[in-house]
């Protein structure tokens, strides 16, 4: 019985990893769809979000069943409750990737993103995908140091987000109000996606240590050569 119980706990973790990998792939494909005005790819991202939703529902059902049958305490209870919260972060990440794809579909056959912003949007999409891949790795390895590094990695996304606004506020902006709204929304989608990846990593920290990531952040020292950069 105990072995079956731990297999169920492990299956919850496996479900989280699969969700993270799916939403990471989704944000990458959605980025390609919006930059290339690829309607078929956008539609595939939109439709694939249902699998993420199904995984979340399955994970929730398993977690609730474990709570009801096993009444876990201490670390096991923390695993179940934290997993439920992580699944919510990952489901919202999938929604954000879907929003990017829906914007591509809305503007088809036109390109939603001006050519002079392609590089920035591409970089945001690639970074979002890398952050979620790292979050998946953190779920698997339970590596607290790696989890804590995600917040500093997210600073790069914040910088890219500010870069978008610099373009929007520039007197030379010539792409109109509709495009300005699209770019504003898109920047927000990527920024929030990255925040959810960071949130997943922080929840792993709590799962492993019982302490909140913000309380441990000061213990992580910057890599050699970074200070003063």
């Amino acid at each position: 019985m105990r072995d079956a119980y731990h297999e169920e706990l492990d299956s919850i973790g496996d479900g989280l990893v699969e969700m993270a990998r799916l939403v990471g792939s989704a944000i990458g494909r959605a980025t390609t769809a919006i930059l290339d005005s690829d309607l078929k790819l956008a539609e595939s991202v939109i439709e694939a979000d249902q699998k993420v939703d199904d995984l979340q529902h399955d994970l929730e059902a398993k977690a609730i069943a474990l709570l009801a049958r096993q009444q876990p305490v201490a670390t096991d209870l923390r695993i179940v409750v934290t997993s439920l919260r992580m699944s919510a972060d990952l489901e919202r990440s999938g929604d954000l990737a879907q929003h990017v794809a829906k914007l591509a579909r809305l503007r088809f056959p036109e390109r939603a993103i001006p050519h002079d912003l392609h590089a920035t949007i591409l970089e945001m999409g690639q970074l979002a995908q890398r952050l979620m891949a790292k979050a998946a790795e953190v779920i698997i390895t339970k590596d607290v140091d790696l989890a804590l590094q995600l917040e500093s990695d997210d600073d790069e996304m914040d910088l890219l987000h500010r870069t978008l606004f610099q373009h929007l506020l520039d007197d030379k902006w010539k792409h109109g109000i509709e495009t300005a709204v699209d770019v504003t929304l898109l920047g927000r989608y990527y920024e929030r996606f990255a925040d959810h990846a960071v949130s997943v990593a922080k929840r792993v920290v709590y799962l492993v240590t019982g302490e909140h990531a913000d309380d441990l952040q000061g213990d992580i020292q910057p890599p050699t050569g970074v200070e003063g950069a």
Side-chain angles (χ1 to χ4, degrees):
M1 288 291 291
R2 196 68 184 170
D3 288 344
Y5 168 55
H6 281 287
E7 284 178 7
E8 289 182 88
L9 278 178
D10 289 343
S11 74
I12 290 174
D14 292 342
L16 290 170
V17 172
E18 186 175 1
M19 287 181 72
R21 287 174 173 166
L22 285 172
V23 300
S25 173
I27 197 67
R29 290 184 297 120
T31 300
T32 299
I34 200 159
L35 291 177
D36 294 349
S37 192
D38 188 328
L39 180 60
K40 184 176 180 180
L41 184 57
E43 293 284 9
S44 74
V45 173
I46 294 165
E47 292 171 7
D49 187 56
Q50 185 60 50
K51 185 172 182 181
V52 176
D53 294 343
D54 290 344
L55 280 169
Q56 187 199 21
H57 296 156
D58 181 59
L59 190 150
E60 286 180 341
K62 288 179 180 177
I64 291 169
L66 275 178
L67 289 171
R69 290 198 317 268
Q70 303 291 343
Q71 299 181 355
V73 295
T75 301
D76 288 350
L77 178 60
R78 200 159 67 231
I79 290 171
V80 175
V81 173
T82 304
S83 295
L84 284 169
R85 291 173 175 169
M86 284 193 283
S87 75
D89 278 311
L90 293 168
E91 189 275 333
R92 291 182 189 121
S93 299
D95 288 345
L96 290 162
Q98 187 184 58
H99 292 338
V100 174
K102 284 183 175 179
L103 184 56
R105 182 176 66 179
L106 178 66
R107 299 304 176 208
F108 181 83
E110 302 299 326
R111 294 179 184 268
I113 306 304
H115 181 74
D116 53 337
L117 290 180
H118 272 220
T120 302
I121 295 299
L122 176 61
E123 194 171 352
M124 292 181 86
Q126 291 174 338
L127 177 59
Q129 194 167 5
R130 289 199 304 273
L131 285 169
M132 192 56 73
K134 189 176 282 191
E137 183 180 352
V138 167
I139 296 170
I140 295 168
T141 63
K142 306 297 189 293
D143 186 330
V144 171
D145 288 347
L146 182 63
L148 292 172
Q149 288 169 15
L150 252 78
E151 189 157 20
S152 60
D153 292 342
D154 182 48
D155 291 343
E156 187 179 346
M157 183 67 82
D158 294 335
L159 180 60
L160 290 167
H161 195 203
R162 287 195 295 272
T163 298
L164 282 184
F165 276 96
Q166 289 171 359
H167 280 277
L168 292 170
L169 297 174
D170 195 313
D171 291 339
K172 297 178 182 178
W173 178 264
K174 59 181 183 299
H175 304 294
I177 294 174
E178 184 177 84
T179 301
V181 171
D182 288 347
V183 171
T184 301
L185 288 172
L186 197 60
R188 181 61 172 164
Y189 297 153
Y190 285 117
E191 189 264 340
R192 289 299 299 145
F193 187 98
D195 285 348
H196 284 302
V198 171
S199 179
V200 167
K202 284 184 172 183
R203 295 190 195 282
V204 173
V205 172
Y206 177 72
L207 186 155
V208 173
T209 68
E211 297 184 62
H212 292 289
D214 291 343
D215 297 331
L216 298 175
Q217 198 74 46
D219 296 334
I220 301 298
Q221 299 300 318
T224 303
V226 169
E227 291 182 338

